[in-house]
């Protein structure tokens, strides 16, 4: 058995440390979302004496379209804070798992392009865009929760940069259009499979906000 050269081992350690330092914000968002959903799941299984823990979390932190109209809030700042808090609540184990895996993958791709500050701005804009889209378009009064609005914003950003890069290099733009079509088809299928419970309005708002924010943060085409 041969041992790895000390220089290589040290290099791998430095690489891991660099990745941890670079991706700390993504890890922090994932950790907060997982901890919150973990508490709600524990409440679902009766580990806490607080009744209706998940319902209370949704009532105070979910996005309620009625609060934009004439509903009375549970606390003074709820009509404003719900534009952010909804993105840290989820609807169960499968919901949180899919979203956090997606966030880690897409977030690192965005981080490679614009760094931590750019990712933070883009994520915030997409989160707000998702809430605005739901508030403007949704016809029901059910609460909306989940990070998918921000995630579709990250997708929109990556596609926007792909479009700019291809346009700069005079390459075909069809792959970008194909990806947008696939996202549209995916939302239609999921909307049907979930018995119209999918908040596609949030996805649309987040996607548009992410696309616009990406071109404002980094409008330059790259090879």
């Amino acid at each position: 058995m041969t041992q790895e050269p000390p220089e290589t081992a040290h290099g791998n350690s430095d690489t891991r440390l660099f990745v941890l330092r670079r991706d700390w914000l993504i890890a922090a968002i994932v950790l907060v979302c997982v901890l919150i959903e973990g508490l709600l799941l524990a409440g679902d299984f009766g580990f806490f004496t607080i009744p209706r823990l998940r319902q209370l979390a949704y009532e105070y932190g979910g996005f309620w379209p009625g609060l934009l109209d004439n509903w009375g809030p549970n606390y003074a700042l709820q009509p404003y804070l719900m534009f952010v808090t909804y993105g840290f609540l989820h609807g169960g184990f499968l919901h949180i798992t899919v979203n956090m895996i997606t966030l880690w993958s897409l977030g690192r791709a965005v981080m490679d392009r614009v760094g931590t500050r750019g990712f933070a701005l883009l994520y915030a804009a997409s989160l707000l865009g998702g809430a605005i889209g739901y508030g403007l378009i949704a016809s029901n009064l059910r609460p909306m929760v989940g990070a998918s609005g921000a995630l579709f914003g990250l997708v929109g950003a990556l596609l926007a940069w792909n479009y700019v890069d291809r346009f700069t290099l005079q390459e075909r733009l069809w792959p970008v259009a194909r990806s947008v079509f696939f996202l549209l088809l995916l939302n239609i299928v999921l909307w049907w499979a979930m018995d119209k419970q999918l908040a596609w309005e949030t996805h649309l708002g987040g996607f548009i906000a992410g696309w616009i924010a990406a071109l404002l943060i980094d409008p330059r085409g790259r090879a």
Side-chain angles (χ1 to χ4, degrees):
M1 174 181 277
T2 59
Q3 291 186 337
E4 195 175 37
E7 294 79 12
T8 304
H10 184 267
N12 290 338
S13 176
D14 288 345
T15 300
R16 286 192 294 269
L17 183 60
F18 170 76
V19 169
L20 289 175
R21 287 176 176 174
R22 186 199 65 174
D23 297 339
W24 68 268
L25 182 55
I26 304 173
I29 296 173
V30 170
L31 180 62
V32 171
C33 291
V34 169
L35 286 177
I36 292 174
E37 182 58 32
L39 290 174
L40 298 184
L41 284 173
D44 293 341
F45 287 101
F47 287 98
F48 297 120
T49 57
I50 304 175
R52 300 177 58 252
L53 180 60
R54 184 177 292 276
Q55 288 78 3
L56 284 174
Y58 291 170
E59 288 175 9
Y60 281 82
F63 186 93
W64 294 88
L67 291 176
L68 301 176
D69 192 7
N70 56 2
W71 286 17
N74 292 312
Y75 55 94
L77 295 178
Q78 186 178 9
Y80 308 100
L81 292 181
M82 69 177 184
F83 279 82
V84 176
T85 55
Y86 84 92
F88 295 90
L89 296 171
H90 288 82
F93 178 77
L94 180 60
H95 193 199
I96 186 73
T97 300
V98 172
N99 275 3
M100 293 305 99
I101 292 175
T102 305
L103 171 57
W104 184 257
S105 175
L106 296 177
R108 296 182 71 188
V110 170
M111 198 81 75
D112 288 339
R113 178 90 181 202
V114 292
T116 303
R117 183 171 177 271
F119 168 81
L121 292 173
L122 187 57
Y123 195 85
S126 302
L127 198 65
L128 291 174
I132 293 172
Y134 191 79
L136 290 177
I137 305 174
S139 59
N140 62 72
L141 299 177
R142 293 190 300 267
M144 182 269 293
V145 297
S148 56
L151 300 183
F152 269 83
L154 300 183
V155 174
L158 293 172
L159 287 177
W161 289 324
N162 192 10
Y163 174 87
V164 172
D165 294 345
R166 287 180 172 276
F167 184 83
T168 301
L169 298 175
Q170 298 182 344
E171 295 181 351
R172 292 191 308 164
L173 301 178
W174 165 243
V176 179
R178 182 178 56 198
S179 298
V180 173
F181 175 77
F182 172 77
L183 289 174
L184 176 62
L185 182 62
L186 177 64
N187 273 269
I188 293 174
V189 172
L190 290 176
W191 178 78
W192 175 80
M194 296 173 63
D195 194 24
K196 302 181 181 180
Q197 299 297 311
L198 181 74
W200 62 267
E201 304 91 344
T202 307
H203 299 173
L204 177 61
F207 182 89
I208 294 174
W211 185 291
I212 295 173
L215 298 182
L216 292 175
I217 294 171
D218 183 18
R220 302 166 300 168
R222 301 187 185 184

